[in-house]
Amino acid sequence: MIRVQYVYDLVGLILVLSSLYTFRDRANPRRITTGLFYALYGLAFILADVLPSFVLGLVVIAIVVLAGFGGVRTGSYGEAEAADREASRARLGNRLFIPAVLIPVLTVAGVEGLSRIHVGALPLLDPANVTLVALGIAAAIALIVAWAITRSTPVVSVREARRLIEAIGWAAVLPQMLAVLGT
């Protein structure tokens, strides 16, 4: 059975890998605390089903303290020059939208199709979280398609994930943190 925890593990892995880039970013004056923030956030995803609620609550409090005392800052990302970005945009054209369109299409297909499939006595997808598991599978497939279209690598994806999550900032984690504290 494909469990929802596998989706959380993948998200957590991306956050932990992103935090490693943050720790190495000498242009970020708060690279240690920012890296720690995203590492703890990623570990909360990965270890949520094995950590006692009390320990997970302490991790959440540490995350809140790091953000609340100004420990989270955006870093330096080594973005491509405007001319390089424009050349890439011209080369790829509307094909850039294919991965974005694939996610909802494959999610619906997964919910409607894969939710009925059983392997032996077990359902293929976690029956309690069919939509979230289908979304995770769709996102993974869309990522692979994006790599093929752009001729990019997983390393570039992790760097871009870091740029996006840091651009959103600590507010991106607020809903999950409130849910954990509620638990």
Side-chain angles (χ1 to χ4, degrees):
M1 171 176 26
I2 302 173
R3 297 177 37 225
V4 71
Q5 186 58 45
Y6 301 153
V7 176
Y8 295 151
D9 290 344
L10 182 58
V11 170
L13 178 64
I14 291 168
L15 286 164
V16 168
L17 291 173
S18 296
S19 76
L20 297 177
Y21 283 106
T22 300
F23 281 124
R24 294 179 44 203
D25 182 5
R26 299 216 182 270
N28 185 343
R30 301 270 166 63
R31 67 188 173 134
I32 301 300
T33 54
T34 302
L36 185 58
F37 176 88
Y38 289 111
L40 288 172
Y41 185 40
L43 289 173
F45 270 99
I46 295 168
L47 300 174
D49 64 340
V50 295
L51 286 178
S53 297
F54 179 76
V55 174
L56 198 54
L58 291 175
V59 169
V60 169
I61 290 170
I63 289 171
V64 169
V65 167
L66 286 168
F69 286 101
V72 180
R73 296 278 188 259
T74 57
S76 168
Y77 308 108
E79 291 185 52
E81 297 294 323
D84 293 335
R85 287 194 309 264
E86 187 56 42
S88 181
R89 240 186 314 257
R91 177 178 61 84
L92 296 170
N94 289 334
R95 291 181 295 155
L96 284 172
F97 294 105
I98 292 171
V101 171
L102 276 177
I103 293 172
V105 169
L106 292 175
T107 300
V108 170
V111 168
E112 294 301 322
L114 296 178
S115 64
R116 295 183 177 94
I117 296 175
H118 285 72
V119 178
L122 293 175
L124 179 63
L125 303 183
D126 183 352
N129 296 288
V130 172
T131 304
L132 190 54
V133 173
L135 174 62
I137 292 169
I141 292 169
L143 181 60
I144 293 166
V145 169
W147 290 336
I149 289 171
T150 62
R151 291 184 226 116
S152 187
T153 65
V155 170
V156 172
S157 298
V158 171
R159 287 181 181 160
E160 282 301 303
R162 173 191 171 226
R163 183 184 65 78
L164 288 172
I165 195 70
E166 285 188 11
I168 296 169
W170 63 267
V173 306
L174 191 58
Q176 183 200 9
M177 295 302 108
L178 291 174
V180 170
L181 285 176
T183 300

